[in-house]
């Protein structure tokens, strides 16, 4: 998936700008005719593709007589998102920011229907449906999806997604199967997810954005990319599986055995991605705690055991540090028996 998306983006970028050399320079590499895309880390492919999409979108804006997105515009958006209390508040702020910067990021609208939330992302673009426009809209949608999941430190399952381009245009991109159901040419771009996630607390700060890991579904969706995923993603998968299935967090040595290499190498890899196993452990505990409190009647004591805490007091202290609430107060406000 990653290589196919990058290949299509690079081809369109080359047609528009004449050379893909700036994309390699963006990640500190030199273009080499002998190098294949499969030899590049997925993270580099994602960064190169993001840079290319931003340049293509800026070019579209200029050709339409509008100002392109500026670095300061995006910093304002990120500041607003990371200072929100919940995902709902973050999305509302994002909608307002997009309007404040004259729709240079497009328009965003949140709708809720029962247990479903829909996020519409309207591109402000002239010229109709094109291969480049289709790719820009698809990438933008998956980038927003990944950003919102990163904010709440919880994966957002996409129920359905929409792309306002004709089937023949999308098919012209010649992409592999996407990891979500995509509906075409129905009048809007966006995706829907479970509305309960809107009340999840924002866990990321302004400072965290510098180490935001790869989270775009177009780059972490296929089995063949597993070995090239960020190490944090792979460590998190192992830790979460052990926590859910066995009620324990694996020792660091177990991770090394599963992933290969040495303990020192794994620590360095996680540090390069701006995290540590301690942070990954706490993220897994937090995600599972929120789920159990919202979706079950399991006692606080049993949840503490499921999360591998020595006792319920340690869990209560950790949960209050994460959310500002006690587990009981959070369940009363958001759980199956007291959801607001």
């Amino acid at each position: 998936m990653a290589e196919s998306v990058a290949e299509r983006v690079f081809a369109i970028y080359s047609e528009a700008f004449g050379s893909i050399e700036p994309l390699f320079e963006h990640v500190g590499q030199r273009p080499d005719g002998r190098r294949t895309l499969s030899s590049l880390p997925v993270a580099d492919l994602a960064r190169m593709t993001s840079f290319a999409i931003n340049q293509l979108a800026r070019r579209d804006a200029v050709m339409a007589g509008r100002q392109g997105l500026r670095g300061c515009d995006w910093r304002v958006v990120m500041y607003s998102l990371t200072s929100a209390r919940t995902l709902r508040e973050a999305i509302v702020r994002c909608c307002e920011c997009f309007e404040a910067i004259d729709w240079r990021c497009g328009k965003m609208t949140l709708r809720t229907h029962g247990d479903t939330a829909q996020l519409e992302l309207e591109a402000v673009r002239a010229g109709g449906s094109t291969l480049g426009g289709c790719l820009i809209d698809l990438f933008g949608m998956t980038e927003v999806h990944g950003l919102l999941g990163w904010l709440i430190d919880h994966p957002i399952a996409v129920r359905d997604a929409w792309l306002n381009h004709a089937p023949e245009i999308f098919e012209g991109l010649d992409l592999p199967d996407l990891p979500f159901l995509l509906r075409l040419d129905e009048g809007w771009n966006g995706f829907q997810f479970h509305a309960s996630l809107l009340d999840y607390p924002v866990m990321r700060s302004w400072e965290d954005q510098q180490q935001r890991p790869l989270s775009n579904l177009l780059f972490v969706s296929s089995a063949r990319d597993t070995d090239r995923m960020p190490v944090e993603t792979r460590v998190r998968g192992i830790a979460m599986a052990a926590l859910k299935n066995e009620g324990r967090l694996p020792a660091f040595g177990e991770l090394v055995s599963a992933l290969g290499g040495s303990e020192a190498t794994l620590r360095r890899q996680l540090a390069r991605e701006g995290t540590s196993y301690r942070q990954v452990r706490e993220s897994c505990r937090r995600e599972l705690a929120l789920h159990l409190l919202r979706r079950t009647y399991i006692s606080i004591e049993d949840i503490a055991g499921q999360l591998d805490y020595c006792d319920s007091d340690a869990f209560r202290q950790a949960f209050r540090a994460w959310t500002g609430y006690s587990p009981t107060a959070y369940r009363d406000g958001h759980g199956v028996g007291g959801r607001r």
Side-chain angles (χ1 to χ4, degrees), residues 73-98 108 119 143-144 146-152 200-206 209 212:
D73 295 329
W74 190 244
R75 286 192 292 274
V76 169
V77 172
M78 289 301 297
Y79 182 78
S80 297
L81 291 175
T82 54
S83 59
R85 292 170 298 177
T86 65
L87 180 61
R88 187 192 306 274
E89 184 176 304
I91 292 174
V92 170
R93 289 187 178 191
C94 196
C95 296
E96 294 173 345
C97 281
F98 282 11
M108 180 184 289
L119 192 63
E143 275 287 283
V144 169
L147 174 61
L148 297 181
W150 170 80
L151 278 175
I152 60 174
Y200 272 46
V202 169
M203 308 304 302
R204 303 296 188 177
S205 68
W206 167 259
Q209 65 175 311
R212 183 159 70 96

Side-chain angles (χ1 to χ4, degrees), residues 177-229:
D177 291 340
L178 298 176
F180 49 82
L181 177 63
L182 184 64
R183 303 179 184 276
L184 296 166
D185 208 18
E186 295 187 9
W188 66 291
N189 301 317
F191 60 92
Q192 66 181 18
F193 55 96
H194 203 286
S196 64
L197 294 173
L198 293 172
D199 293 320
Y200 272 46
V202 169
M203 308 304 302
R204 303 296 188 177
S205 68
W206 167 259
E207 292 75 17
D208 291 334
Q209 65 175 311
Q210 299 301 324
Q211 287 82 38
R212 183 159 70 96
L214 175 64
S215 55
N216 190 309
L217 286 175
L218 298 180
F219 290 90
V220 295
S221 57
S222 65
R224 68 181 296 196
D225 289 333
T226 298
D227 290 339
R228 297 161 65 204
M229 284 182 181

